[in-house]
Amino acid sequence: MPFLPRPCGARLWYECRGTGPSVLLLAPGGMHSNTRMWSRCAFDAWSQLPQSGFRCIAMDQRNGGKSRDCPIGMGWSTYLDDQLALLDHLRCDVSLTLGSCIGASFQLRMLAAAPKRVSAAVLLQPIGLARHTTEGQRWRGLNSDASSHWFGMWAQGMQTAGRASRTELSSLEEAMFRDGFVFSVSRDQVARVRQPMLVAPGSDLYHPTAVAREIAALAPSASLLEGSWEHREEHIVRFLHEHASGHGQDG
């Protein structure tokens, strides 16, 4: 079982599957983000993309899934350092990326801070702060309770297991979710992203449709992908092949 050791003592689980242009997969699941979560998605990228001519790189984020011995870190920058360290370990200078839920916020952080490492990105059901628009489940005002809810559930488990103190967890929540929009970057940073992006909206309290629409409107090379998931899958695979550009080729 492959683990990536980190200087802090963390051991991050990862796996590669398939051959072709490399696609870094950043899984859904909130703070539990891990590879198994793909099987719960309408588009199971971990199962489907390797069959479509891609080398998929999957990882369990620190304190998620099979990753072990992980300090909680300092927030988005710690997760970004982990993700770039994995790409370095695999000698992948430039990669396609595909992320869902919190994975989309990880991607936007990488696009803002390390744009040369990403050739193109597919963002599925991004999280963020928004008011209700067309979702079936209505809410009043901003959906700020959504991130507090799933972070709180994860934090309670961490504290009960003795893996972090309440003070550490409160500081982490403040560092990661005090800013609005998509949490990991600002609107101005999204507007400066030049890489091609395909953005598929969610449709619930945790993945507001308006967030995806605003990302697609702000980023100059982004397109919004709506419609059924069967329709979306076809476009996602085509988009990734179009923007592979020979980067990250494997075997």
Side-chain angles (χ1 to χ4, degrees):
M1 186 178 295
F3 285 92
L4 174 70
R6 300 292 288 128
C8 63
R11 295 186 301 137
L12 305 179
W13 182 91
Y14 73 93
E15 184 177 344
C16 299
R17 179 185 290 179
T19 59
S22 294
V23 184
L24 176 64
L25 300 181
L26 298 171
M31 302 302 290
H32 293 283
S33 172
N34 69 84
T35 305
R36 288 177 300 171
M37 295 294 184
W38 288 113
S39 65
R40 305 180 186 181
C41 295
F43 177 59
D44 182 355
W46 180 229
S47 295
Q48 296 182 45
L49 286 181
Q51 301 175 29
S52 300
F54 296 98
R55 176 204 189 200
C56 289
I57 303 167
M59 65 184 298
D60 291 357
Q61 303 299 328
R62 60 175 55 217
N63 294 302
K66 301 173 187 174
S67 292
R68 296 288 180 266
D69 306 323
C70 302
I72 60 172
M74 301 300 293
W76 298 107
S77 59
T78 301
Y79 287 101
L80 175 62
D81 288 345
D82 290 343
Q83 294 149 12
L84 294 178
L86 178 58
L87 292 179
D88 291 342
H89 175 70
L90 296 173
R91 298 182 180 179
C92 185
D93 294 332
V94 183
S95 176
L96 298 158
T97 67
L98 184 147
S100 182
C101 181
I102 196 172
S105 291
F106 289 145
Q107 288 174 282
L108 290 168
R109 183 74 174 203
M110 186 178 292
L111 284 161
K116 293 182 180 180
R117 304 302 297 270
V118 182
S119 56
V122 177
L123 283 64
L124 308 179
Q125 300 178 302
I127 60 172
L129 289 181
R131 299 181 183 279
H132 177 268
T133 54
T134 58
E135 298 83 358
Q137 176 189 8
R138 293 185 174 273
W139 64 87
R140 292 183 178 180
L142 293 174
N143 62 330
S144 52
D145 288 345
S147 59
S148 297
H149 176 257
W150 53 256
F151 183 93
M153 293 180 63
W154 171 82
Q156 183 177 1
M158 292 286 289
Q159 188 175 349
T160 300
R163 296 165 67 182
S165 69
R166 177 177 295 182
T167 300
E168 290 174 322
L169 292 163
S170 296
S171 296
L172 181 65
E173 182 177 18
E174 175 71 10
M176 293 188 72
F177 299 107
R178 69 172 177 265
D179 296 327
F181 191 37
V182 296
F183 306 119
S184 61
V185 294
S186 68
R187 287 177 171 84
D188 287 343
Q189 287 173 299
V190 173
R192 291 195 291 269
V193 172
R194 293 295 182 265
Q195 284 82 349
M197 285 197 291
L198 190 63
V199 188
S203 58
D204 58 48
L205 175 73
Y206 299 94
H207 316 91
T209 305
V211 169
R213 289 176 176 160
E214 188 169 4
I215 293 169
L218 285 169
S221 299
S223 300
L224 190 68
L225 176 61
E226 298 187 278
S228 70
W229 277 102
E230 287 186 3
H231 164 79
R232 294 183 186 192
E233 289 174 22
E234 177 184 345
H235 282 265
I236 289 166
V237 171
R238 184 186 308 139
F239 174 89
L240 290 171
H241 277 299
E242 287 175 353
H243 295 288
S245 304
H247 293 308
Q249 293 284 348
D250 176 80

